[in-house]
Amino acid sequence: KLHREAVELIKEHFKDDLLKTTIRTNVSLAESVSFFKTIYEYKANSHGSQDYDNLTKEVIKISKQFQIGKWIIAKEERWNTK
């Protein structure tokens, strides 16, 4: 219950500044660290590895959108100076 309350407080405080992906509490994540392995080496099909895959995809998508946005701005600036 305390975990859910903390998550809700974070969501209320940061609102739109948070990524949509959440990393669920997962025993495999903690175990992988104790074996000095990544979650992909330890349990590639766990919820933890799936969550990190989803986070990676979300970050890449945002990065691409940001890069496209920068490209559009640069083009507009170039067009406006001619």
Side-chain angles (χ1 to χ4, degrees), residues 6 13 17-18 23-24 30 36 43 66 74 76:
H13 180 60
D17 293 332
L18 292 174
I23 308 298
R24 293 171 278 184
F36 301 100
K43 280 197 180 169
F66 179 73
E76 287 175 349

Side-chain angles (χ1 to χ4, degrees), residues 6-78:
V7 169
E8 288 307 313
L9 284 172
I10 290 168
K11 285 180 178 179
E12 285 175 23
H13 180 60
F14 290 102
K15 295 182 175 122
D16 296 332
D17 293 332
L18 292 174
L19 296 173
K20 302 216 179 334
T21 303
T22 56
I23 308 298
R24 293 171 278 184
T25 303
N26 184 270
V27 173
S28 297
L29 288 172
E31 290 174 345
S32 68
V33 173
S34 66
F35 289 106
F36 301 100
K37 293 185 175 188
T38 68
I39 190 61
Y40 302 104
E41 295 167 324
Y42 184 68
K43 280 197 180 169
N45 293 326
S46 68
H47 289 296
S49 67
Q50 293 168 5
D51 292 345
Y52 276 104
D53 282 344
N54 291 335
L55 178 62
T56 301
K57 289 173 187 172
E58 184 177 359
V59 169
I60 289 169
K61 180 180 176 184
I62 291 168
S63 176
K64 286 180 180 178
Q65 290 171 342
F66 179 73
Q67 292 300 323
I68 289 169
K70 281 177 43 179
W71 179 83
I72 290 170
I73 290 168
K75 288 287 188 188
E76 287 175 349
E77 288 173 353
R78 203 172 318 147

